Amino acid sequence: MRVAENLNAALHGLLDDDPTAYVLGEDITDPYGGAFKVTRGLSTRFPGRVIGTPISEGALTGVAAGLALTGNTAVAEIMFGDFVALAFDQLCNFASKSVSMYGRRLPLRMVVRCPTGGGRGYGPTHSQSLQKHFVGMPGLSLYEMSPFHDNRAVLGAMLERGEPCVFFEDKVLYTRQMDQVDPLFTVRRDGDLAVVELRDPGDRPDYVIIAPGGVAHRALAAMRSLLVEQEVSGRLLVPSRLYPLDVEALLPYLGEVVLVAEESTAGGTWGSEVAHLLHGRLWDRLRGPVRLVHSRASVIPTAAHLENEVLVGESTIHHAVREALRG
């Protein structure tokens, strides 16, 4: 099953199980079924609870927050995650505050879906990874889609938190198969964390990469080339929840060399938050500081060959691991 199909099935399941659940967004109804066809079939099966909205990210996010505030479950789709910036006020000044600013905790079951990232030739304003702009906001949780996490379980985890969640969905994942890795590797899950390592890992790996779901396949490609060319083995950790991060879940899997790879540009990133949290717990065990791997500080071009030069990729991660191992 492809990742988009798994997410579609998860939304069908949510609407089927929860009569208070609504899905809303721009062009999400049939026959179009959303820009990436993730909502295909939903409006036909649940016509009163799948709502096409005007082109206003602020308005549709505000309506979703209002639905959640009155006890319903709301899933809002931002057609391209770049435009979640237009909903920043609704998310950060209304929805996230509403959980706790009325004198007692008020659960809000709300998810804002954001197709994000480059790699598909959509150009500077439709290819960004804006996760870092939401890190650290009290009452707002951040998740990222992964081919190693079942989306029904992830949706359930987000809604169970009882606070607004932003779900970043790297667009390059939609057509990928769930749980697909190179035959050299195997995937297992430890709660929220997906662990990818050699089928016969032997001793502790030479390095560990922490990456969100959208960068996982690039990290795995780098791990494979490092194994074949340099005979060094690695482990990949892919958390579903980015913020607040469950650092304790990572600790048993870490070694002396740790890298964090993400598609955001450098500066105030999720990766720097991870490094900060790990340094306080691992400083005496690390061979050097946690390495951060980002995309270049540039707009994202439309042309594929230029886009590949800007976005974090296999070669970027490969080079960073080699530098880290040299110490």
Side-chain angles (χ1 to χ4, degrees), residues 163-175:
E163 65 184 24
C165 297
V166 182
F167 189 36
F168 294 98
E169 304 166 11
D170 198 305
K171 297 187 287 290
V172 298
L173 294 181
Y174 287 136
T175 57

Side-chain angles (χ1 to χ4, degrees), residues 146-187:
S146 151
F148 310 129
H149 295 85
D150 179 69
N151 284 298
R152 186 68 180 94
V154 176
L155 270 178
M158 287 190 283
L159 295 171
E160 189 176 332
R161 289 189 66 80
E163 65 184 24
C165 297
V166 182
F167 189 36
F168 294 98
E169 304 166 11
D170 198 305
K171 297 187 287 290
V172 298
L173 294 181
Y174 287 136
T175 57
R176 289 185 171 267
Q177 295 291 327
M178 294 290 296
D179 290 314
Q180 186 178 55
V181 294
D182 187 283
L184 289 171
F185 300 102
T186 185
V187 183

Side-chain angles (χ1 to χ4, degrees), residues 1-121:
M1 177 181 285
R2 297 183 188 275
V3 173
E5 294 168 339
N6 180 267
L7 180 53
N8 177 266
L11 291 169
H12 273 277
L14 172 64
L15 288 163
D16 203 30
D17 294 344
D18 183 354
T20 73
Y22 292 82
V23 176
L24 58 159
E26 301 160 8
D27 292 334
I28 65 168
T29 56
D30 293 330
Y32 190 60
F36 302 101
K37 311 311 172 192
V38 170
T39 58
R40 180 180 287 166
L42 293 179
S43 64
T44 299
R45 188 175 173 198
F46 307 98
R49 293 188 286 133
V50 179
I51 304 168
T53 69
I55 303 175
S56 174
E57 287 74 16
L60 71 89
T61 304
V63 170
L67 284 166
L69 194 63
T70 54
N72 298 286
T73 299
V75 178
E77 177 184 300
I78 307 294
M79 185 182 289
F80 282 84
D82 308 67
F83 303 122
V84 72
L86 295 166
F88 195 89
D89 184 65
Q90 290 290 350
L91 279 169
C92 297
N93 276 334
F94 175 47
S96 62
K97 302 293 188 295
S98 295
V99 176
S100 57
M101 72 178 182
Y102 297 118
R104 61 179 176 84
R105 183 168 179 82
L106 183 64
L108 262 73
R109 293 165 55 84
M110 172 184 175
V111 175
V112 177
R113 296 181 41 241
C114 293
T116 191
R120 293 185 55 152

Side-chain angles (χ1 to χ4, degrees), residues 204-274:
R204 187 175 287 272
D206 298 298
Y207 62 92
V208 177
I209 300 173
I210 304 169
V215 182
H217 61 287
R218 286 166 269 183
L220 282 171
M223 287 169 58
R224 188 187 192 286
S225 63
L226 285 160
L227 179 66
V228 172
E229 298 169 16
Q230 307 291 323
E231 296 187 351
V232 293
S233 65
R235 173 184 288 152
L236 173 64
L237 304 178
V238 184
S240 174
R241 191 178 76 217
L242 304 185
Y243 183 85
L245 181 69
D246 184 0
V247 183
E248 300 302 322
L250 298 174
L251 297 181
Y253 297 103
L254 300 177
E256 295 180 347
V257 177
V258 180
L259 303 91
V260 184
E262 60 187 324
E263 195 169 304
S264 295
T265 54
T269 66
W270 172 74
S272 60
E273 171 71 6
V274 176

